[in-house]
Amino acid sequence: MHCLDRAHDAGFKAKAFVRALEVARSLPPEELAQRADAHTLTDLEGIGDSSAKVICQALAGGDIAYLTDLEATTQVPITVAGAIYRDALLGDLHLHSRWSDGGATIEAMARTAVAVGHQYMVLTDHSPRLTIAHGLSAERLVQQLADVATLNLQMAPFRILTGIEVDILEDGTLDHGDEVLSQLDVVVASVHSKLRMGEKEMTMRMVRAVANPNVDILGHCTGRLIGKRDPSEFDADYVFAACAQFHTAVEINCRPERLDPPRPLLQMAIEYGCYFAINSDAHATGQLEWQPHGCNRAAEVGVPLDRVLNT
Ligand SMILES: [Zn+2]
Ligand SMILES: [Zn+2]
């Protein structure tokens, strides 16, 4: 699963493996072995040819060719220059858990963050406006903070910082008030709705959010989805000048379908003196390995390393 996520291939194939795993676990071990010998695993609903092959290889105790191959072929590519940025990153400031629309528990995300070499991560599940993403109300956020506190005791010195990805509403106000946002370590603010509003309105909307003293990072600023959705229209001069003025970092979003902001905008943000954050925006453990996408781009455009918050 982790490797398929990393390769952004977590759709049908990954679901099939999870289903096969459930079926295999529900069987007595003797029956599983018998069926493997008799080549009747695929008679079971939920186990196909690839899953059957993996189960047989696992039972045989040797290397699992499929998994070894997957491990090798799903590595996220990084350039020599990009590696300098990646090596400097100490954490990730934007990621999701099952509390909103992520696929993994907070603990699984944290353990993977440790495994990829981070000292900390900021948990930024969605805010309530994003109902399709099961956004967190103030009440659920309080419960989450208690869970995070417990996990932090178990996982020290690794640290889970508290946060949220708050929605920028149409008028530029946010989806949680000061009393909630001021309690959190890091607030990422992003536009998720009405992405096609007029340029002038969108500029005012974004500047107002960027100027909010609770906001630390402007998430995936254009909202584009490569090949699927065009960037929103806004006056980037105003928005990046505001980011520099109010010390709100511009996110370099590492999701392969976003890679936001596009290069010319990133260049412009550098010129305005903005700070940056290279964030995975991971919704699954494997996606925590996506930072190289943003590191490659930061290196290519020449983002000053000392302006990247998570170094
Ligand atoms: Zn978002
Ligand atoms: Zn996000």
Side-chain angles (χ1 to χ4, degrees), residues 128-151:
R129 165 73 175 263
L130 220 56
T131 46
I132 46 159
H134 202 42
L136 267 64
S137 62
E139 292 70 36
R140 288 184 65 228
L141 189 60
V142 169
Q143 293 167 17
Q144 186 184 67
L145 298 189
D147 270 24
V148 167
T150 310
L151 270 175

Side-chain angles (χ1 to χ4, degrees), residues 69-91:
D69 186 47
L70 201 59
E71 172 64 33
T73 55
T74 59
Q75 296 284 346
V76 178
I78 190 153
T79 60
V80 173
I84 296 169
Y85 288 75
R86 180 59 191 86
D87 290 347
L89 294 182
L90 305 176

Side-chain angles (χ1 to χ4, degrees), residues 168 189-191 195 202 206 218-224 231-234 236 239-240 243 250-253 258 260-262 265-266 269:
I168 301 177
S190 313
V191 171
L195 289 137
M202 184 59 99
M206 292 173 75
L218 173 63
H220 50 71
C221 65
T222 77
R224 73 165 174 178
S232 298
E233 287 174 14
F234 55 88
V239 172
F240 292 143
C243 285
V250 175
E251 175 176 81
I252 300 175
N253 189 293
R258 286 194 185 273
D260 205 359
L265 287 187
L266 194 50

Side-chain angles (χ1 to χ4, degrees), residues 6-270:
R6 166 165 92 184
H8 210 195
D9 193 8
F12 177 75
K13 223 191 294 176
K15 285 203 186 89
F17 275 116
V18 171
R19 172 88 185 103
L21 185 64
E22 279 168 8
V23 175
R25 277 190 179 144
S26 71
L27 289 182
E30 314 80 60
E31 185 183 341
L32 199 64
Q34 269 167 18
R35 282 181 176 275
D37 283 340
H39 303 285
T40 58
L41 281 167
T42 50
D43 292 350
L44 297 165
E45 199 178 329
I47 297 190
D49 287 338
S50 326
S51 320
K53 210 187 282 174
V54 171
I55 292 170
C56 290
Q57 288 171 351
L59 288 170
D63 246 14
I64 302 174
Y66 176 82
L67 297 184
T68 312
D69 186 47
L70 201 59
E71 172 64 33
T73 55
T74 59
Q75 296 284 346
V76 178
I78 190 153
T79 60
V80 173
I84 296 169
Y85 288 75
R86 180 59 191 86
D87 290 347
L89 294 182
L90 305 176
D92 198 330
L93 310 182
H94 180 175
L95 54 98
H96 301 265
S97 75
R98 253 183 220 169
W99 281 74
S100 62
D101 59 348
T105 59
I106 303 172
E107 183 173 357
M109 294 300 276
R111 301 225 175 265
T112 307
V114 171
V116 303
H118 289 325
Q119 296 177 6
Y120 60 85
M121 70 178 204
V122 184
L123 178 64
T124 55
D125 275 310
H126 288 286
S127 59
R129 165 73 175 263
L130 220 56
T131 46
I132 46 159
H134 202 42
L136 267 64
S137 62
E139 292 70 36
R140 288 184 65 228
L141 189 60
V142 169
Q143 293 167 17
Q144 186 184 67
L145 298 189
D147 270 24
V148 167
T150 310
L151 270 175
N152 271 328
L153 290 176
Q154 297 162 6
M155 296 193 63
F158 181 79
R159 184 103 190 272
I160 305 167
L161 296 165
T162 62
I164 197 159
E165 180 177 17
V166 72
D167 259 52
I168 301 177
L169 304 178
E170 282 162 44
D171 63 355
T173 58
L174 305 173
D175 197 16
H176 271 304
D178 283 355
E179 63 297 341
V180 171
L181 297 181
S182 61
Q183 293 177 49
L184 301 170
D185 294 316
V186 177
V187 173
V188 178
S190 313
V191 171
H192 289 118
S193 60
K194 277 265 188 170
L195 289 137
R196 299 263 70 85
M197 64 167 36
E199 178 180 339
K200 196 168 163 216
E201 291 74 28
M202 184 59 99
T203 305
M204 285 168 64
R205 177 184 187 184
M206 292 173 75
V207 167
R208 188 167 181 194
V210 160
N212 186 308
N214 289 312
V215 173
D216 303 296
I217 299 170
L218 173 63
H220 50 71
C221 65
T222 77
R224 73 165 174 178
L225 294 176
I226 295 170
K228 276 195 197 153
R229 185 166 73 203
D230 286 339
S232 298
E233 287 174 14
F234 55 88
D235 190 328
D237 280 294
Y238 277 103
V239 172
F240 292 143
C243 285
Q245 172 80 29
F246 296 102
H247 293 173
T248 297
V250 175
E251 175 176 81
I252 300 175
N253 189 293
C254 300
R255 297 190 64 82
E257 78 278 21
R258 286 194 185 273
L259 288 175
D260 205 359
R263 292 180 186 84
L265 287 187
L266 194 50
Q267 190 67 57
M268 204 167 162
I270 295 171

